[in-house]
C-alpha cells in the first residue's frame, strides 16, 4: 500500500519515547504517522508488578501529564520523597522540600507507562502501522519510508525512536561513540525487614552501584550493577543466598532482605550518537543516547528530547520554515545533544570514579558527597538535577 498523503512527521518506534513524541506532536496539530511492530500492552489489573520499573523525574511526569498519559494506575506508580546516596562513610540526603515539588520523582512500571503512552498516541495520530521500517530515502523536499509490509509513507520529517539499535541511524551513516561497561544490572523486587518508607536509596560500591527504589507494600526494587563475570553466579544463587548477598552489599539499610522475586539482568553500555540529526531525520531517546542507569536518567532524557522536538517544530511552523530542513533540525541538535551528552558524560565519570577505575578519584568523590551534603546551594543544585531541571527545559515539561 502506498500513500499519496504527505505527513508532517513519521515516528518510527513506539516505545515510551516514540509514543510520547507522536502523541505530543499530534496534540500540537501536526499530522503524524506512528510505526511500531510490537504495540505495548498493559498487564492485567491484578497482575504483579513487572520486574522493569524506572525512576521518572517531576519534569518528565509534567510532560507525560500534559499529553494526557498521567496518572498511571496506583498499583503501577509510586512517589518517592527522599533520596539517600552513600559511599563508604559519607552520605548525601535530600527531600522534596528542598526542590518545592510534590515528590522527588516516581518509580513506575515501564510496561504500564509504555502502554498508556501508546494508547494516547494511537487515539491522536492519523495512522498507526504495525510493521518495521525496511528502507528510507531522504530527499530535498520529503522523506519516503518503506515498511516491511509493503506500505510506503511520505513525510517532511522522520523521527527515529527505535531504541539503542536504530536502522535509520545506521542507514544515515551516523556513528556512535560506545563503551561497554562490562557490567550487568541485576533487577528484582525485594521485601526487607523494615518497610521502605518512600526513599530512593543508592550505595556506591567497588564494581558498581546498588539501588533500592521504593515500590508497593514497603518493598524495594533492586538495581544492582555487578561486573559481568560475577553476574551469572549471583543469578544462580538460591533465594536465601541471594537475599543474604544483597543484605551484605546494602549494609543493612531497611534491615535484612527477606525475599526476592525472580532476577533479571541487563547488559550496560554508554552509547552516544555523534549527531542527532541529518536532513529530514532526527534521533530521539536511546537511539541518540544510552546511559548507565545509576542516575535513573535514560528514559527521562528521551522524554525531554520528545518535548524539545515539539518546541522546535512549533517554532519552525510559526516561522513558516521547513520541518525537516537541516536548519530546523540543527537547532534541535545543538539543544538536546549538548544537554544529553553533558548528562551522559557526568554519569560516566561518576561510574568510573565510584567504580574504582580512577583510583583516588573515588575517595575524593566519596568525600565530595559529604561536602555536598553540608553545602545548601550545592545540595539544591543536585536535587534540582535529579528532578529533571537540567539544561534548557522544554515548554511541556516546565513548572
Ligand atoms: C537496568 C536499567 C534500569 C533503568 N532505569 C532507568 C530509570 O530509573 N530511569 C530512566 O529514565 N531510565 C532508566 N533506564 C533506561 C530506559 O529503560 C531507556 O532509556 C528507555 O526505556 C528507552 O526508551 P526508548 O523509547 O528510547 O527505546 P525502546 O524502549 O527500546 O523502544 C524502541 C521501540 O522501537 C521499536 N523499533 C525498533 N526498531 C524498529 C524499526 N526498524 N521499525 C519500527 N519500530 C522499531 C521497538 O519495537 C521498540 O518498541 C534503565 C535502563 C536499564 C537497562
Amino acid at each position: 500500500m502506498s500513500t499519496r498523503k504527505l505527513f508532517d512527521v513519521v515516528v518510527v518506534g513506539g516505545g515510551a519515547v516514540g509514543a510520547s513524541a507522536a502523541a505530543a506532536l499530534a496534540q500540537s496539530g501536526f499530522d503524524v504517522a506512528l510505526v511500531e511492530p510490537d504495540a505495548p500492552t498493559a498487564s492485567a489489573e491484578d497482575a504483579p508488578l513487572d520486574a522493569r520499573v524506572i525512576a521518572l523525574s517531576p519534569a518528565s511526569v509534567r510532560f507525560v501529564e500534559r499529553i494526557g498519559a498521567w496518572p498511571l494506575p496506583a498499583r503501577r506508580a509510586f512517589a518517592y520523597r527522599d533520596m539517600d546516596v552513600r559511599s563508604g562513610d559519607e552520605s548525601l540526603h535530600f527531600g522534596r522540600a528542598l526542590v518545592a515539588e510534590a515528590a522527588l520523582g516516581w518509580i513506575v512500571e515501564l510496561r504500564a507507562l509504555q502502554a498508556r503512552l501508546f494508547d494516547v498516541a494511537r487515539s491522536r495520530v492519523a495512522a498507526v502501522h504495525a510493521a518495521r521500517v525496511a528502507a528510507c530515502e531522504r530527499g530535498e523536499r520529503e522523506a519516503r519510508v518503506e515498511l516491511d509490509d509493503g506500505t510506503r509513507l511520505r513525510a517532511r520529517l522522520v523521527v527515529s525512536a527505535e531504541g539503542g539499535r536504530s536502522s535509520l541511524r545506521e542507514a544515515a551513516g551516523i556513528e556512535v561513540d560506545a563503551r561497554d561497561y562490562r557490567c550487568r544490572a541485576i533487577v528484582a523486587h525485594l521485601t526487607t525487614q523494615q518497610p521502605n518508607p518512600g526513599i530512593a536509596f543508592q550505595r556506591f560500591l567497588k564494581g558498581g552501584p546498588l539501588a533500592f527504589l521504593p515500590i508497593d507494600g514497603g518493598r524495594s526494587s533492586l538495581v544492582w550493577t555487578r561486573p559481568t563475570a560475577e553476574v551469572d553466579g549471583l543469578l544462580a544463587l538460591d533465594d536465601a543466598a541471594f537475599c543474604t548477598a544483597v543484605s551484605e552489599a546494602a549494609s543493612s539499610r531497611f534491615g535484612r532482605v527477606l525475599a526476592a522475586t525472580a532476577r533479571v539482568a541487563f547488559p550496560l553500555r554508554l552509547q552516544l550518537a555523534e549527531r542527532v540529526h541529518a536532513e529530514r531525520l532526527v534521533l530521539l531517546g536511546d537511539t541518540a543516547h544510552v546511559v548507565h542507569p545509576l542516575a535513573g536518567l535514560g528514559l527521562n532524557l528521551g522524554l525531554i528530547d520528545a518535548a524539545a522536538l515539539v518546541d522546535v517544530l512549533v517554532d519552525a511552523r510559526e516561522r513558516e520554515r521547513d520541518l525537516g530542513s537541516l536548519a530546523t533540525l540543527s537547532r534541535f541538535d545543538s539543544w538536546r545533544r549538548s544537554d544529553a551528552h553533558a548528562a551522559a558524560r557526568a554519569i560516566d565519570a561518576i561510574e568510573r570514579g565510584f567504580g574504582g577505575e580512577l583510583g583516588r578519584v573515588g575517595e575524593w568523590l566519596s568525600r565530595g558527597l559529604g561536602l555536598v551534603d553540608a553545602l545548601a546551594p550545592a545540595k539544591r543544585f543536585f536535587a534540582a538535577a535529579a528532578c529533571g531541571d537540567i539544561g534548557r527545559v522544554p515548554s511541556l515539561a516546565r513548572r
Side-chain angles (χ1 to χ4, degrees):
M1 188 184 84
S2 112
T3 172
R4 295 170 70 86
K5 177 173 172 175
L6 180 65
F7 287 99
D8 291 323
V9 186
V10 169
V11 178
V12 179
V17 174
S20 67
L25 289 166
Q27 177 173 269
S28 299
F30 294 101
D31 201 0
V32 179
L34 174 60
V35 179
E36 168 57 57
D38 303 310
T41 50
S43 316
E45 211 179 306
D46 55 354
L49 193 67
D50 193 64
R52 288 227 51 198
V53 298
I54 53 147
L56 273 193
S57 71
S60 294
V61 168
R62 277 193 288 276
F63 170 53
V64 170
E65 186 167 33
R66 282 178 190 147
I67 60 176
W70 191 266
L72 296 180
R75 290 174 54 105
R76 311 280 159 193
F78 316 97
Y80 62 93
R81 295 168 187 84
D82 291 279
M83 196 176 275
D84 186 354
V85 184
R86 296 195 183 177
S87 175
D89 295 334
E90 301 290 340
S91 66
L92 168 64
H93 180 91
F94 49 80
R96 69 193 160 118
L98 193 67
V99 285
E101 294 275 6
L104 272 184
W106 280 261
I107 307 301
V108 305
E109 184 187 57
L110 182 57
R111 179 178 171 168
L113 178 70
Q114 288 169 329
R116 175 62 71 82
L117 284 166
F118 195 86
D119 284 348
V120 172
R122 185 168 21 213
S123 70
R124 235 174 246 162
V125 300
V128 177
H129 294 274
R132 300 185 74 79
V133 163
C136 176
E137 241 177 68
R138 294 175 295 107
E140 213 176 289
R141 293 175 180 279
E142 63 179 59
R144 288 166 187 250
V145 176
E146 193 175 330
L147 308 185
D148 63 2
D149 64 359
T151 305
R152 292 202 183 93
L153 301 169
R154 296 168 56 218
R156 289 179 214 284
L157 171 64
V158 178
V159 169
S160 170
E162 297 166 276
R165 285 200 192 127
S166 158
S167 59
L168 292 167
R169 185 187 65 215
E170 270 175 35
I174 301 177
E175 301 279 334
V176 294
D177 180 5
R179 166 165 129 86
D180 184 346
Y181 284 115
R182 298 199 192 120
C183 285
R184 285 159 78 194
I186 303 172
V187 167
H189 300 328
L190 308 176
T191 306
T192 46
Q193 232 172 352
Q194 295 139 28
N196 183 333
I199 298 174
F201 167 68
Q202 176 141 263
R203 185 176 184 90
F204 285 100
L205 301 162
K206 203 161 177 199
L210 168 147
F212 278 32
L213 307 172
I215 50 171
D216 51 356
R219 295 190 303 159
S220 296
S221 180
L222 170 76
V223 186
W224 190 15
T225 301
R226 297 309 302 156
T228 304
E230 286 179 25
V231 170
D232 284 341
L234 284 166
L235 294 178
L237 293 176
D238 64 28
D239 283 358
F242 182 75
C243 291
T244 304
V246 181
S247 301
E248 282 168 8
S251 294
S252 80
R253 190 72 169 102
F254 313 122
R256 273 188 302 112
V257 176
L258 304 177
T261 57
R263 280 88 71 178
V264 198
F266 299 88
L268 302 180
R269 70 189 190 287
L270 170 71
Q271 182 180 286
L272 301 175
E274 60 174 2
R275 55 201 161 90
V276 298
H277 81 296
E279 195 162 37
R280 309 219 167 268
L281 176 69
V282 74
L283 315 182
L284 304 185
D286 275 19
T287 301
H289 37 70
V290 176
V291 300
H292 193 289
L294 71 87
L297 268 186
L299 178 57
N300 288 294
L301 290 172
L303 293 171
I304 298 303
D305 288 346
L309 184 65
V310 175
D311 279 1
V312 170
L313 297 188
V314 166
D315 182 67
R317 183 175 60 193
E318 279 165 9
R319 293 166 193 255
E320 298 184 358
R321 300 228 168 111
D322 181 349
L323 299 181
S325 71
L326 283 173
T328 300
L329 301 178
S330 61
R331 291 192 50 230
F332 174 82
D333 190 304
S334 54
W335 175 1
R336 286 308 298 159
R337 186 155 55 93
S338 56
D339 283 359
H341 283 203
R345 299 279 181 214
I347 295 166
D348 189 49
I350 291 172
E351 193 280 334
R352 286 170 190 248
F354 283 118
E357 201 182 297
L358 304 181
R360 292 186 68 84
V361 174
E363 287 172 36
W364 299 334
L365 278 171
S366 293
R367 283 192 215 132
L369 266 191
L371 204 62
V372 169
D373 200 55
L375 291 173
K379 201 162 158 172
R380 253 194 302 277
F381 171 81
F382 280 99
C387 290
D389 290 335
I390 23 175
R392 196 171 125 213
V393 181
S395 337
L396 283 169
R398 263 176 229 150
R399 287 182 195 225

